[in-house]
Amino acid sequence: MNVEVNNESGVDVDVNGLMQLSRFVMDALRMHPECELSIKLVDEDTMARYHVEFLDLPGPTDVMSWPMDELRPGAEDAIEGDQPLGHLGDIALCPTVAAAQGAKAGHGTWAELELLTVHGILHLLGYDHAEPAEKAEMWDIQGRLLEAWRAPGKADN
């Protein structure tokens, strides 16, 4: 999995950890081993500009996703490499918004950035939370992926 993380936020963030998490999630969702993903960490002004430009909503948000090749998770019985190859898409994360949300949720900035990264990847794969059934499915997958990522004894964690 080719994951590129660019930190333009001015906040110190473990970009290597975000790359590892993204690869873990993409692998767990059976994406092509050469699939590409770009993540950019931005400041609040940049995120607010994206929020207005792309969603016509005011103020900064936590995460935004732009799918590219409309890739979907691979089938459970797929043979490695049979999945479609392509650029999954781009994600923008705002660490200062994540820090405020993480503090409010009581789990801190890093846990919030992990959650937002998984959330962004799921959006790139077509998951949404506009309807209650969609939200239940997305939250379930998101929770299971985070639980597996944070599991004690996981080799890459």
Side-chain angles (χ1 to χ4, degrees):
M1 311 281 166
N2 183 18
V3 178
E4 181 180 319
V5 179
N6 292 308
N7 188 355
E8 300 175 7
S9 69
V11 176
D12 187 32
V13 174
D14 180 4
V15 296
N16 188 48
L18 290 178
M19 285 190 290
Q20 289 175 2
L21 169 60
S22 298
R23 288 185 185 115
F24 175 85
V25 169
M26 292 163 66
D27 185 57
L29 295 172
R30 299 168 304 282
M31 303 303 299
H32 191 285
E34 295 178 33
C35 185
E36 298 178 354
L37 169 68
S38 299
I39 299 173
K40 183 164 38 170
L41 300 151
V42 298
D43 60 27
E44 289 187 33
D45 289 341
T46 301
M47 187 60 100
R49 191 170 64 250
Y50 291 165
H51 208 201
V52 168
E53 182 178 344
F54 294 101
L55 296 176
D56 201 25
L57 296 170
T61 189
D62 49 8
V63 59
M64 292 185 69
S65 301
W66 296 271
M68 294 298 190
D69 291 335
E70 296 185 16
L71 302 177
R72 298 294 177 257
E76 289 189 30
D77 60 351
I79 298 170
E80 186 173 323
D82 279 354
Q83 307 91 330
L85 175 62
H87 187 85
L88 183 56
D90 299 326
I91 297 172
L93 298 170
C94 186
T96 55
V97 172
Q101 289 178 178
K104 185 175 181 179
H107 58 228
T109 303
W110 180 248
E112 188 70 11
L113 284 170
E114 289 176 321
L115 182 140
L116 295 172
T117 300
V118 173
H119 190 85
I121 291 171
L122 290 175
H123 271 306
L124 293 176
L125 290 167
Y127 292 94
D128 202 359
H129 45 83
E131 301 296 327
E134 292 175 330
K135 181 177 180 178
E137 179 185 24
M138 187 175 183
W139 263 236
D140 178 59
I141 295 167
Q142 182 174 280
R144 285 187 285 121
L145 287 166
L146 286 167
E147 183 179 339
W149 166 251
R150 295 170 178 158
K154 188 180 78 53
D156 296 337
N157 197 359

